[in-house]
């Protein structure tokens, strides 16, 4: 079962919402997260526009998922290498090479496991440094960094696996 990139990205965008529901639950890391931020349960209920926060989380999750697809799906690199030649329909040799390449290798490295590997790498090499840099300037400690970076590493790991397994990337998409 394969989905197109927009549907796959939209479904993957739900992952940060579900992971966040568990990750920031008081019985997991929620109490520690509130403590390092100086929040109380009463303060958390003040002025919280739940539809806006969850809606924007979904939108930003969609952006992340769409961008992550280029990292976890190797076939995009193949397409990127040939996009100029394939766009020029007069270059029959490039189109033939592209079609045969997708026919022979279009499903290589397209597993949940492989996507989680690349999602985890993205989490460690992109999300962790971003969270850590922000934390340094906000004068936050290791616990803050560990909670937030851990959340994003898990999210990107699961999103990468989902995208790699289910996104439909075929030669027909690029014609």
């Amino acid at each position: 079962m394969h989905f197109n990139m927009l549907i796959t990205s939209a479904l993957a965008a739900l992952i940060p919402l579900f992971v966040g529901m568990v990750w920031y639950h008081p019985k997991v890391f929620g109490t520690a997260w509130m403590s390092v931020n100086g929040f109380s349960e009463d303060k958390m209920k003040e002025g919280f526009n739940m539809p806006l926060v969850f809606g924007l989380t979904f939108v930003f999750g969609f952006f992340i998922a769409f961008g992550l697809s280029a990292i976890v799906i190797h076939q995009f690199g193949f397409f990127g290498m040939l996009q100029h030649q394939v766009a020029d329909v007069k270059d029959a040799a490039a189109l033939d090479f592209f079609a045969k390449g997708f026919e022979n290798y279009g499903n290589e490295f397209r597993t949940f496991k492989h996507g989680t590997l690349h999602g985890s790498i993205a989490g460690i090499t992109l999300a962790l440094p971003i969270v850590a840099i922000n934390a340094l300037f906000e004068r936050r400690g290791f616990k803050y960094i560990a909670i937030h970076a851990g959340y994003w590493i898990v999210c990107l790991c699961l999103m990468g696996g989902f995208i790699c397994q289910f996104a439909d990337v075929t030669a027909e998409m690029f014609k």
Side-chain angles (χ1 to χ4, degrees):
M1 171 166 75
H2 292 282
F3 304 113
N4 73 32
M5 286 305 303
L6 294 176
I7 293 171
T8 305
S9 294
L11 292 172
L14 295 171
I15 291 172
L17 289 164
F18 288 112
V19 171
M21 182 175 63
V22 173
W23 194 267
Y24 293 102
H25 188 276
K27 292 187 180 186
V28 183
F29 295 113
T31 303
W33 171 74
M34 287 194 305
S35 174
V36 298
N37 285 298
F39 295 153
S40 66
E41 288 196 33
D42 293 334
K43 180 159 175 87
M44 292 301 297
K45 293 176 184 173
E46 292 175 10
F48 186 71
N49 185 340
M50 194 176 295
L52 178 66
V53 171
F54 288 167
L56 287 174
T57 299
F58 176 77
V59 169
F60 295 138
F62 180 84
F63 292 159
I64 293 168
F66 201 78
L68 188 60
S69 62
I71 295 171
V72 302
I73 299 175
H74 298 303
Q75 287 77 2
F76 281 125
F78 181 68
F79 172 68
M81 180 180 73
L82 296 173
Q83 67 184 358
H84 180 56
Q85 287 81 3
V86 172
D88 181 9
V89 293
K90 296 174 187 166
D91 192 345
L95 283 172
D96 185 52
F97 179 74
F98 185 70
K100 284 183 180 172
F102 260 94
E103 183 181 317
N104 293 327
Y105 307 108
N107 290 318
E108 293 293 314
F109 304 108
R110 294 301 306 279
T111 64
F112 186 85
K113 180 180 172 183
H114 191 80
T116 60
L117 170 68
H118 286 283
S120 298
I121 291 169
I124 293 166
T125 60
L126 296 173
L128 171 63
I130 290 168
V131 169
I133 289 168
N134 284 346
L136 290 170
F137 282 99
E138 293 173 2
R139 292 166 179 79
R140 304 291 181 138
F142 174 78
K143 197 175 194 180
Y144 177 93
I145 295 169
I147 291 170
H148 289 299
Y151 164 76
W152 281 111
I153 292 168
V154 169
C155 284
L156 292 172
C157 173
L158 294 174
M159 290 171 83
F162 182 83
I163 291 165
C164 193
Q165 177 71 48
F166 294 110
D168 188 15
V169 181
T170 63
E172 285 78 37
M173 287 180 62
F174 300 111
K175 287 185 179 178

